[in-house]
Amino acid sequence: MVMVMKIDTNRFMENISATQLLLLSGLLFLLPCSAYASCDELDRDTLLSLSFKAPLNWSASTDCCLWDGITCDPLDHRRVIRLWLPKRGLSGFVSSAITNLTRLTHLNLSHNSLLGSLPDDLLSSLPSLQVIDLSFNRLNGRFPPSSNGSSHLQIINLSSNFFNGTIPSSVLVPSISIFNVSNNSFSGSIPMSNGSNHASLTFFDLSFNDFTDTIPPGIGSCSKLQVFRAGFNGLSGSLPNEILNLADLQQLSLPVNSLSGHIGDGIVKLTNLKIIELYSNLFSGKIPSHIGNLSMLEKLLLHINNFTGPVPSSLTNCTNLSTLNLRINNLTGELSAFNFSTLQHLATLDLGNNNFNGELPQSLYSCKSLTAIRFASNQLTGEISPEIVALESLSYLSISTNNLTNVAGAFRILKVCKNLTTLVLSKNFLNEPLPDDKSLGDPVGFQSLKVFAIAGCQLTGQVPTMLAKVITLEVLDLSFNLITGSIPGWMGSLPNLFYVDLSNNLLGGGFPIAFCGMPVLITKEAGDMVDRSYLELPVFVMPNSATNQQYNQLSNLPPAIYLGNNSLTGSIPSEIGRLKYIHVLDLSYNNFTGNIPEQISNLTNLEKLDLSFNHLSGGIPASLGRLHFLSSFSVAYNGLQGLVPSGGQFDTFTNSSFEGNPGLCGFPTGKLSFPESPLPVVSTAQKSNTQGIFKALLFGISFGIFFGIGFGLGLNIDDKRIPFIAKRMMKT
Ligand SMILES: *[C@@H]1O[C@H](CO)[C@@H](O)[C@H](O)[C@H]1NC(C)=O
Ligand SMILES: *[C@@H]1O[C@H](CO)[C@@H](O)[C@H](O)[C@H]1NC(C)=O
Ligand SMILES: *[C@@H]1O[C@H](CO)[C@@H](O)[C@H](O)[C@H]1NC(C)=O
Ligand SMILES: *[C@@H]1O[C@H](CO)[C@@H](O)[C@H](O)[C@H]1NC(C)=O
Ligand SMILES: *[C@@H]1O[C@H](CO)[C@@H](O)[C@H](O)[C@H]1NC(C)=O
Ligand SMILES: *[C@@H]1O[C@H](CO)[C@@H](O)[C@H](O)[C@H]1NC(C)=O
Ligand SMILES: *[C@@H]1O[C@H](CO)[C@@H](O)[C@H](O)[C@H]1NC(C)=O
């Protein structure tokens, strides 16, 4: 083929006639007239005065129409019409000289490091401007007012900067089709005045700002609007009826505001809708019963509202649905009554934290695209059925806090799911025995599992040894059960394990030395190897303190060992000093004896250390003062003696960290003692001086952020109180 074409081209060249040649040379002769007429001098000088600090081939000795990023109008005295320099490493300010480029139609300086505010007359001085894209810079200040007269602006993108102040609604001139100011700090009302014409607007993005007030009814005049995004603001009131005029609307995205009222059945007339994101608002009432009319719907995100009633059965007609998130509402009804089987594209399903009852819906197991299912915190009953194995892509399953039964059956079935990485079954199976290996059959299983939580079930029996073969395991939570026996040493050799919670069980025996060899906790290299990718859905960790923690990424979980509230005995092995990358060590409420090993001071990443309520003796090693990240510390209720170390973080701990040790003295126990004299005789002068220092220290106590990861993935979830995660995206 290639050969043939080549020959044809040659033949074509040979066959060009003399007249054709003449014509061609005539054209070539004409071209230089325009190509080498130098650019407008004023425009050239203006460009040079912009002095963008970047390697551009802008040299005064060459024609500015040939410079990087410049396009001139060939028909109009070589005036500059386009300044197009995205991603060119530009820094510095946008000089007001730019307004001398009066013929400019296209301006794109996006993805640079431009600073400062924009010239006030930027838009009013450039009457021909059609496109302005300054997104992804570090610009601040106000939105520049536009000229009231004839504007040709079609695209305004100022997104991802640091702009603030209000946006006058006059900037939304009738010609605008794309308006994107997302990810700034704009405030005031949505710029849209009643009665004005926005018939060209197709993309309207105001998300991640501080806009307040209601959604203006003027939105109804945007008859071509396809995408409306205003999430992560302070909008209130209800959805205006005028929104029903937006027949072309494909995306309605208003999450994380204070919008309220009912959605209303009218929305089902907007049959082009693909994405509805209204999560984290105050909406109530029912999900529109005819939502099934929205046959294009791909994402329905209504979580964290106050919706009531059932999942409308018509939803089964939304066959393009890939994400359905209704978590944290007051929805009711028997889940098995809903027919999931038509939702062949459904990948993520979160119906957690509602009041659904009945058995797990059998029809779900024909949704072959499912990767994540979360039913946590409902009133579901029955058993996990073997059909679930048909969901070959299933990676995330959380059914914690329901009333499931037959834990042995659940293990036997789920261990076959090849791609299952997150399994949270906490608070079910009340009082059942953990299955032993024999009853589980083939020892190979759970071959991809990273997170395994089955806490708060009061399960009896021993730590299942089948877990010893789950080499992918990163996070294990067996807390709040009635597990007996000793801590198995094999846990110390699981290559990816970094978070173990065995607290609140009936475990006995000693602290296994093998446990001190957990690869991820002893070498940085092993820690770096762990694949801590994003979870399909977040896991919730109930800490000791009042706030819930939501984890979207496993890497945000602190490396931790929780063994509190068991019956462990013996001494804390000195080998514990090897667990260098551990952040939380909780051995409280056990029967440990002996000294606090000096080697703990080698755990330089430690943020929380709890050794309280044991029978430890001896002194508190002064070297613990080297633990600079330690923000929570307790050795209360042991038999410790001697002086409490001072300096470093120790100056921030209160007496509650040390109480219940009659032999301890020094700050902050309130008992004075000096190493020189075991029975201190302190002069009045010394005493008042010392007390003065104590007061000063107390006054200056800075309580570190309590690192309150307590127990139970998915346990006791009441995530209505979850603070809204990162209100705005990180800017770099
Ligand atoms: C500047 O660089 C561009 C390529 O980036 C080139 O096309 C143009 O001819 C150069 N202009 C001058 C005046 O060197
Ligand atoms: C500006 O340039 C960037 C980078 O090439 C591009 O992604 C963006 O679409 C351009 N803006 C407009 C409005 O065309
Ligand atoms: C607006 O710009 C942001 C980047 O700053 C982008 O993520 C978003 O998709 C844009 N919005 C629309 C509707 O195109
Ligand atoms: C949610 O709705 C129920 C009943 O409709 C009501 O009793 C409750 O107060 C509402 N909760 C909130 C937080 O608005
Ligand atoms: C689904 O759509 C079909 C035809 O459009 C309709 O007859 C049926 O009633 C709908 N199903 C539900 C549950 O709304
Ligand atoms: C141990 O149990 C006590 C009382 O039952 C409780 O206050 C404490 O928080 C528990 N400790 C841990 C580490 O869970
Ligand atoms: C702490 O670790 C260092 C090297 O990592 C080692 O030399 C030292 O002996 C350890 N100290 C204790 C008390 O274990």
Side-chain angles (χ1 to χ4, degrees), residues 75-110:
L75 304 173
D76 187 11
H77 309 295
R78 317 290 295 147
R79 294 294 309 271
V80 171
I81 55 165
R82 287 168 75 107
L83 180 52
W84 202 264
L85 292 168
K87 301 181 184 169
R88 295 301 288 256
L90 308 184
S91 57
F93 298 88
V94 179
S95 155
S96 64
I98 200 170
T99 58
N100 293 334
L101 300 173
T102 50
R103 294 293 170 82
L104 212 56
T105 59
H106 291 71
L107 177 61
N108 190 344
L109 305 176
S110 66

Side-chain angles (χ1 to χ4, degrees), residues 387-403:
E387 284 89 341
I388 200 168
V389 176
L391 302 178
E392 286 191 357
S393 307
L394 190 64
S395 162
Y396 177 110
L397 180 65
S398 167
I399 318 183
S400 65
T401 320
N402 279 286
N403 300 312

Side-chain angles (χ1 to χ4, degrees), residues 249-306:
L249 200 63
Q250 295 176 13
Q251 180 174 0
L252 178 63
S253 183
L254 305 169
V256 195
N257 279 295
S258 300
L259 298 167
S260 56
H262 296 192
I263 296 188
D265 263 321
I267 201 167
V268 308
K269 293 196 194 106
L270 306 182
T271 50
N272 287 307
L273 274 171
K274 288 184 176 155
I275 297 175
I276 301 179
E277 285 180 314
L278 300 175
Y279 61 88
S280 291
N281 276 291
L282 304 166
F283 286 113
S284 56
K286 300 199 162 153
I287 299 174
S289 55
H290 295 298
I291 194 140
N293 289 11
L294 303 178
S295 57
M296 315 269 264
L297 201 61
E298 291 166 13
K299 287 188 181 175
L300 181 60
L301 307 182
L302 302 180
H303 49 293
I304 319 183
N305 277 290
N306 198 10

Side-chain angles (χ1 to χ4, degrees), residues 42-53:
L42 193 69
D43 280 0
R44 185 195 61 202
D45 294 346
T46 299
L47 289 172
L48 287 173
S49 75
L50 294 180
S51 58
F52 293 128
K53 296 181 189 68

Side-chain angles (χ1 to χ4, degrees), residues 498 518 520-522 558-562 576 578-586 603-608:
F498 71 90
M518 283 172 71
V520 180
L521 299 187
I522 64 171
I561 294 178
Y562 293 96
I576 205 156
R578 297 176 66 199
L579 300 171
K580 243 179 144 159
Y581 295 94
I582 196 171
H583 289 218
V584 180
L585 180 62
D586 187 343
L603 306 181
T604 47
N605 291 294
L606 215 50
E607 295 170 43
K608 176 178 174 172

Side-chain angles (χ1 to χ4, degrees), residues 47 68 121 178 202 249 257 267 289 329 369 398 403 428 438 506 529 562 668 674 678 706 718:
L47 289 172
D68 277 333
D121 53 348
I178 297 179
T202 52
L249 200 63
N257 279 295
I267 201 167
S289 55
N329 277 292
S369 308
S398 167
N403 300 312
N428 284 290
K438 261 188 228 128
L506 304 172
M529 296 271 287
Y562 293 96
F674 295 94
F706 180 66
D718 173 16

